Amino acid sequence: MSNRARLIVPAVVACVLGAPAWAAEGAPEGVSGEPQSAVWTDKELNFVYMGFTTRYSCDGLRDKVRDVLLDLGAEKKDLKVMQMGCSSPSGRPDPFPGVRVKMRVLQPADAPDAKPTDQPPVAAHWKPLDLKLRDSFGIDSGECELVEQIRHKIVPLFATRNVDLKTTCVPHQASAARPSLKMEVLVADAAQHPAGEPQAAR
Protein backbone atom coordinates (compact mmCIF):
# COMPACT_ATOMS: atom_id res chain seq x y z
CA MET A 1 0.00 0.00 0.00
CA SER A 2 1.36 3.43 -0.91
CA ASN A 3 2.05 6.11 1.65
CA ARG A 4 -0.89 8.14 0.28
CA ALA A 5 -3.31 5.20 0.75
CA ARG A 6 -2.08 4.69 4.31
CA LEU A 7 -3.09 8.27 5.09
CA ILE A 8 -6.47 8.25 3.31
CA VAL A 9 -7.91 5.03 4.79
CA PRO A 10 -7.61 6.03 8.47
CA ALA A 11 -9.09 9.44 7.68
CA VAL A 12 -12.13 7.88 5.98
CA VAL A 13 -12.65 5.47 8.88
CA ALA A 14 -12.46 8.33 11.36
CA CYS A 15 -15.09 10.30 9.44
CA VAL A 16 -17.49 7.33 9.33
CA LEU A 17 -17.09 6.55 13.02
CA GLY A 18 -17.45 10.19 13.95
CA ALA A 19 -20.67 10.79 11.98
CA PRO A 20 -23.14 9.49 14.60
CA ALA A 21 -21.61 11.71 17.26
CA TRP A 22 -21.96 14.78 15.06
CA ALA A 23 -25.58 13.91 14.18
CA ALA A 24 -26.51 13.58 17.85
CA GLU A 25 -25.21 17.01 18.81
CA GLY A 26 -27.98 19.34 19.93
CA ALA A 27 -30.50 16.57 20.70
CA PRO A 28 -31.82 16.30 24.30
CA GLU A 29 -30.34 13.61 26.51
CA GLY A 30 -32.31 10.35 26.45
CA VAL A 31 -34.21 11.03 23.23
CA SER A 32 -34.64 8.42 20.53
CA GLY A 33 -35.32 8.34 16.81
CA GLU A 34 -34.99 11.04 14.17
CA PRO A 35 -36.07 14.64 14.81
CA GLN A 36 -39.56 15.42 13.59
CA SER A 37 -41.75 18.47 13.14
CA ALA A 38 -44.39 19.12 15.82
CA VAL A 39 -46.94 21.80 16.70
CA TRP A 40 -48.43 22.98 19.98
CA THR A 41 -52.13 22.06 20.20
CA ASP A 42 -54.79 23.21 22.67
CA LYS A 43 -56.39 20.48 24.80
CA GLU A 44 -59.04 20.46 27.53
CA LEU A 45 -59.91 17.78 30.08
CA ASN A 46 -62.38 17.19 32.91
CA PHE A 47 -60.90 14.50 35.15
CA VAL A 48 -62.78 13.01 38.11
CA TYR A 49 -60.98 10.41 40.22
CA MET A 50 -63.07 7.43 41.34
CA GLY A 51 -61.25 4.88 43.47
CA PHE A 52 -61.68 2.61 46.49
CA THR A 53 -58.16 2.10 47.84
CA THR A 54 -56.74 5.62 48.15
CA ARG A 55 -58.62 8.89 48.62
CA TYR A 56 -57.35 12.35 47.73
CA SER A 57 -58.12 15.89 48.71
CA CYS A 58 -59.11 18.16 45.86
CA ASP A 59 -55.95 20.22 46.11
CA GLY A 60 -53.87 17.03 46.46
CA LEU A 61 -55.32 15.57 43.27
CA ARG A 62 -54.87 18.91 41.51
CA ASP A 63 -51.15 18.96 42.34
CA LYS A 64 -50.64 15.33 41.34
CA VAL A 65 -52.39 15.81 38.00
CA ARG A 66 -50.40 18.98 37.35
CA ASP A 67 -47.13 17.13 37.97
CA VAL A 68 -48.20 14.33 35.62
CA LEU A 69 -49.16 16.78 32.86
CA LEU A 70 -45.80 18.51 33.07
CA ASP A 71 -43.95 15.18 33.01
CA LEU A 72 -45.91 14.19 29.90
CA GLY A 73 -44.84 17.40 28.19
CA ALA A 74 -47.63 19.97 28.68
CA GLU A 75 -46.37 23.51 28.10
CA LYS A 76 -45.84 24.97 31.57
CA LYS A 77 -46.62 28.64 30.88
CA ASP A 78 -50.13 27.98 29.54
CA LEU A 79 -51.09 25.10 31.85
CA LYS A 80 -54.20 25.62 34.00
CA VAL A 81 -55.39 22.95 36.46
CA MET A 82 -58.46 23.95 38.50
CA GLN A 83 -60.42 22.04 41.14
CA MET A 84 -63.85 20.86 40.02
CA GLY A 85 -66.92 19.54 41.86
CA CYS A 86 -65.23 19.37 45.26
CA SER A 87 -67.38 19.25 48.40
CA SER A 88 -64.80 18.74 51.17
CA PRO A 89 -62.74 21.47 52.90
CA SER A 90 -59.22 22.10 51.60
CA GLY A 91 -56.82 19.33 52.59
CA ARG A 92 -59.57 16.83 53.44
CA PRO A 93 -60.18 13.68 51.33
CA ASP A 94 -63.07 14.16 48.93
CA PRO A 95 -65.42 11.39 47.71
CA PHE A 96 -64.99 12.36 44.05
CA PRO A 97 -62.22 14.94 43.63
CA GLY A 98 -61.96 16.41 40.16
CA VAL A 99 -59.97 18.88 38.08
CA ARG A 100 -60.60 20.90 34.93
CA VAL A 101 -57.53 21.23 32.70
CA LYS A 102 -56.61 23.62 29.90
CA MET A 103 -53.22 23.04 28.31
CA ARG A 104 -51.10 22.97 25.17
CA VAL A 105 -49.38 19.75 24.13
CA LEU A 106 -47.08 18.77 21.30
CA GLN A 107 -48.55 16.81 18.39
CA PRO A 108 -46.75 15.63 15.25
CA ALA A 109 -47.27 18.26 12.54
CA ASP A 110 -48.91 15.64 10.30
CA ALA A 111 -51.25 14.28 13.03
CA PRO A 112 -55.00 14.36 12.21
CA ASP A 113 -55.81 16.49 15.30
CA ALA A 114 -52.95 18.94 14.80
CA LYS A 115 -54.84 22.18 14.21
CA PRO A 116 -53.43 25.02 12.07
CA THR A 117 -51.54 27.62 14.10
CA ASP A 118 -49.78 30.92 13.50
CA GLN A 119 -46.71 29.62 15.29
CA PRO A 120 -44.07 27.79 13.25
CA PRO A 121 -43.54 24.06 13.89
CA VAL A 122 -40.89 23.10 16.42
CA ALA A 123 -38.27 20.36 16.28
CA ALA A 124 -39.10 17.44 18.58
CA HIS A 125 -37.89 13.97 19.59
CA TRP A 126 -39.36 10.91 21.29
CA LYS A 127 -38.16 10.52 24.87
CA PRO A 128 -38.57 7.51 27.22
CA LEU A 129 -40.63 8.23 30.34
CA ASP A 130 -41.21 6.13 33.45
CA LEU A 131 -44.13 8.01 34.98
CA LYS A 132 -43.98 8.19 38.78
CA LEU A 133 -46.37 9.98 41.12
CA ARG A 134 -44.51 12.44 43.31
CA ASP A 135 -44.72 12.72 47.10
CA SER A 136 -46.17 9.23 47.39
CA PHE A 137 -45.84 6.96 50.40
CA GLY A 138 -43.92 3.70 49.99
CA ILE A 139 -43.62 2.81 46.32
CA ASP A 140 -46.93 4.17 45.01
CA SER A 141 -48.53 0.77 45.67
CA GLY A 142 -51.66 2.42 47.06
CA GLU A 143 -52.10 4.58 43.95
CA CYS A 144 -52.73 1.79 41.48
CA GLU A 145 -56.23 3.03 40.64
CA LEU A 146 -55.02 6.57 39.96
CA VAL A 147 -52.27 5.28 37.66
CA GLU A 148 -54.84 3.26 35.69
CA GLN A 149 -57.12 6.27 35.29
CA ILE A 150 -54.18 8.45 34.21
CA ARG A 151 -53.36 5.86 31.55
CA HIS A 152 -56.87 5.73 30.13
CA LYS A 153 -58.04 9.35 30.54
CA ILE A 154 -54.94 11.58 30.42
CA VAL A 155 -52.22 9.84 28.40
CA PRO A 156 -54.33 9.69 25.18
CA LEU A 157 -54.31 13.52 25.03
CA PHE A 158 -50.56 13.46 24.42
CA ALA A 159 -48.42 12.21 21.56
CA THR A 160 -47.11 8.91 22.93
CA ARG A 161 -46.01 5.51 21.66
CA ASN A 162 -45.06 2.13 23.11
CA VAL A 163 -47.27 2.73 26.16
CA ASP A 164 -46.79 -0.07 28.70
CA LEU A 165 -49.02 -0.25 31.80
CA LYS A 166 -48.45 -2.93 34.43
CA THR A 167 -50.81 -2.91 37.41
CA THR A 168 -52.52 -5.37 39.74
CA CYS A 169 -55.23 -3.20 41.24
CA VAL A 170 -57.41 -4.80 43.93
CA PRO A 171 -60.13 -2.56 45.47
CA HIS A 172 -59.52 -1.65 49.13
CA GLN A 173 -56.06 -3.24 49.03
CA ALA A 174 -52.64 -1.79 48.21
CA SER A 175 -50.90 -3.74 45.47
CA ALA A 176 -47.74 -5.70 46.24
CA ALA A 177 -45.63 -3.65 43.81
CA ARG A 178 -45.57 -0.14 42.43
CA PRO A 179 -47.74 0.20 39.33
CA SER A 180 -45.58 0.72 36.24
CA LEU A 181 -46.50 3.13 33.45
CA LYS A 182 -43.80 3.56 30.82
CA MET A 183 -43.92 5.09 27.36
CA GLU A 184 -42.20 7.37 24.90
CA VAL A 185 -43.44 10.96 24.76
CA LEU A 186 -42.90 13.64 22.13
CA VAL A 187 -40.90 16.54 23.59
CA ALA A 188 -39.54 19.73 22.08
CA ASP A 189 -35.77 19.78 21.60
CA ALA A 190 -35.45 22.86 23.83
CA ALA A 191 -37.97 21.68 26.47
CA GLN A 192 -36.99 22.49 30.04
CA HIS A 193 -38.16 20.10 32.74
CA PRO A 194 -39.80 21.93 35.67
CA ALA A 195 -38.43 21.50 39.14
CA GLY A 196 -39.82 22.28 42.53
CA GLU A 197 -43.47 21.97 41.54
CA PRO A 198 -46.01 21.96 44.40
CA GLN A 199 -46.37 18.52 45.91
CA ALA A 200 -49.61 16.67 46.45
CA ALA A 201 -51.43 16.29 49.76
CA ARG A 202 -53.19 13.13 50.81
Side-chain angles (χ1 to χ4, degrees):
M1 181 181 293
S2 67
N3 290 336
R4 183 179 180 184
R6 290 192 182 96
L7 293 174
I8 292 175
V9 171
V12 171
V13 171
C15 289
V16 172
L17 294 177
W22 299 337
E25 287 183 3
E29 183 179 357
V31 300
S32 60
E34 293 298 321
Q36 70 175 82
S37 180
V39 293
W40 289 105
T41 304
D42 293 331
K43 298 281 186 177
E44 294 188 13
L45 166 70
N46 289 337
F47 177 79
V48 178
Y49 169 76
M50 292 180 286
F52 300 97
T53 305
T54 301
R55 298 176 65 189
Y56 301 91
S57 63
C58 283
D59 46 355
L61 179 70
R62 177 201 61 204
D63 292 345
K64 279 188 178 292
V65 169
R66 188 173 189 271
D67 287 340
V68 166
L69 297 174
L70 291 170
D71 287 341
L72 287 169
E75 191 175 40
K76 183 178 181 180
K77 68 182 182 70
D78 288 322
L79 177 60
K80 296 180 180 179
V81 184
M82 300 156 284
Q83 299 178 25
M84 180 185 71
C86 298
S87 59
S88 299
S90 178
R92 296 289 186 86
D94 195 273
F96 301 104
V99 293
R100 179 180 292 110
V101 176
K102 292 184 178 181
M103 62 183 174
R104 298 178 75 214
V105 305
L106 273 181
Q107 297 290 322
D110 57 356
D113 59 346
K115 299 178 181 179
T117 176
D118 295 334
Q119 297 184 357
V122 299
H125 279 79
W126 293 101
K127 180 174 182 177
L129 173 66
D130 182 359
L131 195 63
K132 293 182 173 67
L133 302 179
R134 304 178 189 177
D135 193 33
S136 299
F137 296 104
I139 52 174
D140 298 341
S141 61
E143 304 198 276
C144 186
E145 293 163 325
L146 179 57
V147 172
E148 283 191 337
Q149 292 177 41
I150 289 171
R151 164 64 183 94
H152 296 297
K153 298 179 182 180
I154 295 180
V155 170
L157 297 177
F158 292 82
T160 61
R161 65 184 188 184
N162 300 326
V163 179
D164 183 20
L165 171 66
K166 291 185 174 67
T167 61
T168 54
C169 296
V170 179
H172 306 290
Q173 179 180 330
S175 56
R178 182 182 75 83
S180 172
L181 180 53
K182 299 181 180 181
M183 69 199 81
E184 289 180 274
V185 296
L186 190 63
V187 296
D189 287 356
Q192 298 294 320
H193 293 283
E197 297 297 333
Q199 297 298 301
R202 280 286 185 85

